[in-house]
Amino acid sequence: MSVPLQSVQTTLGDAVVGVESPLVLLALPVVVAVLVLLVRYRVRGTASTRSRRLLLASRVTIAVLLVVAAAGPYTVVTMETRGDPSVSLLVDRSDSMAVSPVDTEGLAADIEREGVPVTTSTIGQGTNSRVGDGIAANLRENGSVVVVSDGQVTGGQSLTETTEYARSLNATISTVSPPPTRTERHVTVSGPSKASVGVESRFLVQVEGVQATNPVDVTVEIDGQTVATERIADGEGSVSVSHTFEETGDHELTAEIGGSDIYPENDRALKTVRVVEQPQILYVSRGNYSLQPYLTQLYDVETAQSVPENLDPYYAVVVQNVAADDIGNVDELQRFVIDGGGLLVAGGPNSFENGGYANSSIAATLPVTFGESTPGSARIVMLIDVSGSAGTGMQVQKAIALDALSQLDDENTVGVVGFNQQAYSVVDPAPLSENRNTVEDRIRRLQAGGATNIANGLQGAAEMLGGQRGTIILVSDGADTESRSRVVASTLGRQGIRVVAVGAGRNVNENVLRRIASESGGNYFRADETDRLRLLFGGASRQFQGEGLTIVDSNHFITSGVTLESDPGSVNDVSMRPGADFLVATSDGTPAVASWRYGLGRVATITTYGPDGGLDGLLQQPDSLLVSKSVNYAIGDPERKATGVTDVGDTRVGQPTTVIYRGNSPPSGSDLSFSAVDDGVYRAQVTPTETGFKSAAGATYAANPHPEYAGFGTSTTLTEAVRSTGGQQFERGQAAQIAEFARQQSTRVRDVRQIWDWAFLVAALLLFVAEVVVRRLQVYNGRTRRESGLP
């Protein structure tokens, strides 16, 4: 049986009996031994042997009662409770609900005509959609609420957090979320916030809405000049726009849609693009490769055969197929990177293991090591979500966990922890060569139930690792309170424990799982990507077999949005350095692209190459995006050497944005309050109150419409909240069904947990008082003397 890492419990009849701190019980033998010594060897006087034995039994019993009380005894009993049916109707009157109007007053009256009283509360008004806060404030233990809302939250607690809170209270959330009946569209613009002069930039205009089936015209302007006009025939869709900026400075992009709907304010989207001079980079190579002219199209490139004495003018250095002895001033290159510069090393027949890197100081700067790696034993804990949110998807969870297990080499040391609101030890760590069958059997026996607390699960898995470095493979649907799990993941990352998250279940919250993985320095894989685990832990017995290049981590800046079709064919013999990011692998699992931070700088390596020693098809679309993003990663902020306002992000009305200023002192004449965050770096915040292009310390940013006008229709998060808490989804006019559900909910079967430490303390006190009374009576009756010496 799986037991909590923090408690021990067993089943007696219909009740579960346990103690919260079982380690306290280890004190019992010590306490009993001390009492025996005190009673048997430190007594004197007239007390008989029988009296001493009775005293010993009394004192031992008292000690046992006290120790058990300290251990935290508890029982869990399933009980049926009855109550008076009532309906708590929580009404969202925010602007986004205008597309799905509901007569809540009439609904409440109809429910009351069914004989069930109704209490109505407003949880959203105008642009204030703090729906999560409103629901949480009205939840009661074993209670039920009916929410009239679309679940479009614009502030406060998320619905995911509210759902977890409801499950912890054994409360249900039901909804009245009718489908939209009125037309409403909104437009957004995505694309780079910074661009280089003379380099083409791409932007995506997205039109979304509800009941939006009629054609709609989209007009895109840059700095007041129309650059694109297109009709979307289906009423929803996207328009791609490319533009090359010829001047530095802030540029304004506007996308506007025609047609009529409820809110005209979200028919216009705004975006600013800060255009800078092309970053200056140094290209170092002794061969004639096509990478150099490719970089010249995007950056201000200087070429050299070796690294010079001074790299201060450059943002990044690109080294291609150069032996260690020919690189030049390696000490200056390391200083440059440590101080915040970037480095990209492209391999070839004269590079890495072929170029003597292993014996050069350049090796310490790189995210890869050289020569064939020997598979070793990794310490791994598989952390499997067995909470109620897994529900009917538990079979999927177990299948994915077993598939993930099948990717791990026999030399890995693997343990298993299950979790819901707490962590459970399932299998103690042991080499898979010894316990693979046991691990598989225990995973198959897992059953779902309880709330979800990934943070507690992560802490339980870390406890199983015993304070050592290792990896946690988290198999979960991500239905959790994100904020705390991210904090725990970040802490684990600093302790040398990374989290590899695998999304599993019917409704996977990928954002939560991606951020947990990112905070710890790990990876996120979808359920159909578990074969990527072979790249990390496959070893000799389960080597990765792919076709061409495979993206290992699609969440990294370098690989996000990248599609790979080419395969240069050759690769340097390298392996991953601990703590580095494994981004792209070759068909046999060798690292093709890797990155990490070195000092304040960024370093990336591309170790695959073609017959001529160059990057071959990687410089052709769509693969070329991988190369340009690798260089951009190394460059980092293209304005880090500039002064003045170097960054101010676009935002929405009512949401703050951060202004970054670089200089010897904060800007004068500004109404913003700047504070120093680093040497020569100052930060301030500004919150717009109306839409439009705004100015902050001389820089321009866009203030788009309030978030209330950025989403319409019932959110999937609200639907998941209903499913996870056992509620129901109702439609307009279903007053009778709501009343009947309230009657059913008034009779609940629930687990009642009772702490019994007080009972053991009272029993110990009563026994001690009884003993004292008996002894006093013996003295009074002359059967013994006070100086009997009994303790």
Side-chain angles (χ1 to χ4, degrees):
M1 173 178 160
S2 305
V3 298
L5 295 179
Q6 299 87 1
S7 64
V8 171
Q9 63 184 30
T10 188
T11 302
L12 293 178
D14 295 331
V16 174
V17 179
V19 291
E20 293 181 332
S21 304
L23 293 179
V24 174
L25 298 178
L26 297 177
L28 274 176
V30 178
V31 172
V32 171
V34 170
L35 287 174
V36 170
L37 290 174
L38 288 174
V39 173
R40 296 189 61 180
Y41 299 105
R42 295 190 60 188
V43 297
R44 62 185 183 277
T46 62
S48 65
T49 300
R50 179 173 178 274
S51 296
R52 293 188 183 118
R53 288 176 178 173
L54 290 174
L55 176 65
L56 177 60
S58 172
R59 292 296 171 88
V60 168
T61 303
I62 292 172
V64 169
L65 291 172
L66 292 176
V67 171
V68 172
Y74 67 87
T75 59
V76 180
V77 181
T78 301
M79 299 178 61
E80 184 178 274
T81 59
R82 300 179 182 274
D84 296 327
S86 63
V87 172
S88 177
L89 197 63
L90 309 182
V91 183
D92 179 4
R93 306 182 192 276
S94 62
D95 288 350
S96 65
M97 285 294 292
V99 302
S100 309
V102 179
D103 180 10
T104 53
E105 288 74 15
L107 178 63
D110 290 343
I111 296 172
E112 290 187 334
R113 277 193 285 271
E114 296 292 332
V116 177
V118 177
T119 301
T120 303
S121 303
T122 298
I123 59 172
Q125 189 80 43
T127 58
N128 183 5
S129 290
R130 303 173 73 91
V131 177
D133 288 347
I135 296 175
N138 287 275
L139 290 173
R140 300 293 181 268
E141 187 172 5
N142 302 307
S144 179
V145 296
V146 178
V147 183
V148 183
S149 174
D150 55 7
Q152 299 292 345
V153 179
T154 60
Q157 182 171 283
S158 71
L159 282 177
T160 300
E161 293 173 301
T162 302
T163 300
E164 287 304 309
Y165 179 54
R167 291 215 299 255
S168 71
L169 296 176
N170 197 32
T172 61
I173 299 173
S174 298
T175 61
V176 178
S177 299
T181 58
R182 303 175 66 186
T183 298
E184 176 57 32
R185 294 186 182 90
H186 59 98
V187 59
T188 56
V189 181
S190 59
S193 58
K194 291 186 178 182
S196 298
V197 169
V199 178
E200 185 179 72
S201 299
R202 298 180 181 179
F203 304 92
L204 186 68
V205 179
Q206 189 79 26
V207 180
E208 298 175 290
V210 292
Q211 293 294 303
T213 57
N214 295 328
V216 61
D217 294 323
V218 181
T219 302
V220 181
E221 294 183 353
I222 295 180
D223 297 330
Q225 300 295 318
T226 301
V227 296
T229 300
E230 191 168 325
R231 167 164 287 201
I232 299 178
D234 296 333
E236 293 184 81
S238 60
V239 175
S240 180
V241 178
S242 297
H243 187 76
T244 300
F245 296 95
E246 302 297 341
E247 296 180 359
T248 61
D250 294 325
H251 295 262
E252 301 174 356
L253 188 151
T254 303
E256 191 166 358
I257 57 176
S260 61
D261 55 11
I262 303 173
Y263 299 112
E265 48 263 64
N266 60 4
D267 294 344
R268 186 168 179 258
L270 310 176
K271 181 173 181 57
T272 58
V273 182
R274 191 171 181 84
V275 179
V276 299
E277 294 289 352
Q278 293 180 354
Q280 188 174 13
I281 65 173
L282 177 67
Y283 175 76
V284 178
S285 180
R286 299 202 169 192
N288 185 20
Y289 302 110
S290 53
L291 176 59
Q292 192 271 340
Y294 173 82
L295 295 176
T296 303
Q297 301 174 36
L298 305 175
Y299 313 100
D300 180 6
V301 180
E302 288 191 11
T303 303
Q305 291 191 339
S306 60
V307 174
E309 296 293 326
N310 183 16
L311 295 174
D312 290 342
Y314 308 108
Y315 282 83
V317 176
V318 177
V319 178
Q320 184 174 20
N321 196 25
V322 178
D325 292 341
D326 297 330
I327 288 179
N329 195 327
V330 174
D331 291 340
E332 170 63 11
L333 183 59
Q334 285 187 312
R335 181 205 63 78
F336 171 74
V337 176
I338 290 173
D339 290 345
L343 172 64
L344 171 64
V345 180
N350 301 317
S351 186
F352 293 107
E353 82 287 359
N354 301 320
Y357 280 30
N359 300 319
S360 169
S361 56
I362 188 66
T365 315
L366 303 177
V368 293
T369 57
F370 320 107
E372 184 176 356
S373 61
T374 302
S377 173
R379 292 183 57 83
I380 300 171
V381 172
M382 297 192 68
L383 178 62
I384 303 174
D385 186 348
V386 297
S387 67
S389 67
T392 56
M394 190 60 207
Q395 292 302 320
V396 178
Q397 305 265 64
K398 290 192 283 188
I400 293 172
L402 289 170
D403 183 60
L405 178 68
S406 70
Q407 314 299 327
L408 308 183
D409 181 63
D410 288 340
E411 296 304 312
N412 292 305
T413 298
V414 177
V416 180
V417 170
F419 76 95
N420 42 38
Q421 68 267 27
Q422 60 183 341
Y424 297 83
S425 174
V426 178
V427 182
D428 290 334
L432 273 180
S433 57
E434 301 173 4
N435 75 340
R436 185 180 291 274
N437 292 336
T438 300
V439 172
E440 291 176 349
D441 179 65
R442 296 286 179 85
I443 290 176
R444 291 190 179 99
R445 292 169 180 257
L446 293 174
Q447 295 185 0
T452 309
N453 193 317
I454 294 180
N456 284 350
L458 292 173
Q459 290 171 333
E463 184 178 331
M464 180 171 280
L465 285 171
Q468 300 184 47
R469 299 170 64 95
T471 300
I472 298 171
I473 299 179
L474 168 64
V475 181
S476 174
D477 58 7
D480 176 66
T481 302
E482 177 186 344
S483 55
R484 184 165 174 262
S485 56
R486 287 181 62 186
V487 171
V488 173
S490 178
T491 301
L492 294 180
R494 292 193 295 271
Q495 295 172 356
I497 301 173
R498 62 173 171 168
V499 180
V500 176
V502 179
R506 292 170 52 188
N507 297 287
V508 178
N509 190 334
E510 290 194 346
N511 288 335
V512 170
L513 296 176
R514 288 181 191 277
R515 288 169 183 168
I516 289 173
S518 175
E519 289 290 339
S520 67
N523 308 80
Y524 169 73
F525 300 128
R526 294 188 176 92
D528 59 355
E529 296 176 330
T530 53
D531 61 335
R532 306 291 197 274
L533 293 171
R534 291 188 180 227
L535 294 167
L536 304 176
F537 311 108
S541 66
R542 284 169 167 77
Q543 290 187 345
F544 179 80
Q545 295 295 327
E547 296 182 3
L549 298 179
T550 299
I551 294 177
V552 180
D553 183 359
S554 60
N555 306 312
H556 195 277
F557 172 83
I558 290 177
T559 50
S560 64
V562 168
T563 300
L564 297 178
E565 296 180 356
S566 68
D567 183 4
S570 300
V571 64
N572 289 108
D573 189 5
V574 298
S575 56
M576 293 301 302
R577 189 182 295 276
D581 296 319
F582 191 174
L583 304 181
V584 178
T586 62
S587 58
D588 66 354
T590 302
V593 180
S595 70
W596 76 342
R597 300 297 296 265
Y598 187 77
L600 298 178
R602 307 178 182 199
V603 182
T605 56
I606 301 177
T607 51
T608 182
Y609 57 93
D612 65 345
L615 295 183
D616 199 47
L618 288 181
L619 296 179
Q620 306 298 321
Q621 291 188 359
D623 302 65
S624 59
L625 183 60
L626 176 74
V627 178
S628 61
K629 295 192 75 171
S630 297
V631 179
N632 289 339
Y633 169 81
I635 290 173
D637 184 0
E639 288 191 285
R640 68 173 181 269
K641 298 177 183 291
T643 57
V645 174
T646 59
D647 190 42
V648 53
D650 294 339
T651 186
R652 291 185 174 274
V653 170
Q655 294 186 332
T657 185
T658 300
V659 183
I660 301 296
Y661 182 90
R662 298 178 186 271
N664 295 327
S665 60
S668 58
S670 173
D671 55 355
L672 301 179
S673 177
F674 283 89
S675 58
V677 294
D678 202 349
D679 186 23
V681 182
Y682 302 87
R683 182 170 59 191
Q685 282 196 331
V686 58
T687 304
T689 57
E690 58 183 19
T691 60
F693 291 104
K694 308 295 180 182
S695 178
T700 303
Y701 69 96
N704 280 286
H706 193 279
E708 181 67 24
Y709 308 110
F712 297 88
T714 303
S715 74
T716 56
T717 310
L718 182 60
T719 303
E720 176 62 21
V722 174
R723 188 192 68 81
S724 297
T725 60
Q728 290 191 15
Q729 289 182 288
F730 300 104
E731 298 181 2
R732 298 184 187 93
Q734 290 189 324
Q737 289 87 336
I738 295 175
E740 178 59 27
F741 183 71
R743 294 188 185 96
Q744 295 173 2
Q745 293 299 104
S746 65
T747 301
R748 303 290 294 273
V749 175
R750 61 191 181 95
D751 290 335
V752 178
R753 193 172 192 268
Q754 178 68 51
I755 302 297
W756 293 101
D757 52 356
W758 63 270
F760 285 86
L761 291 173
V762 170
L765 178 62
L766 292 176
L767 182 57
F768 179 74
V769 171
E771 175 201 308
V772 172
V773 170
V774 170
R775 290 174 55 205
R776 293 296 181 186
L777 288 175
Q778 287 181 329
V779 172
Y780 180 78
N781 293 329
R783 296 179 183 177
T784 187
R785 299 196 304 269
R786 292 178 184 273
E787 59 273 16
S788 63
L790 290 173

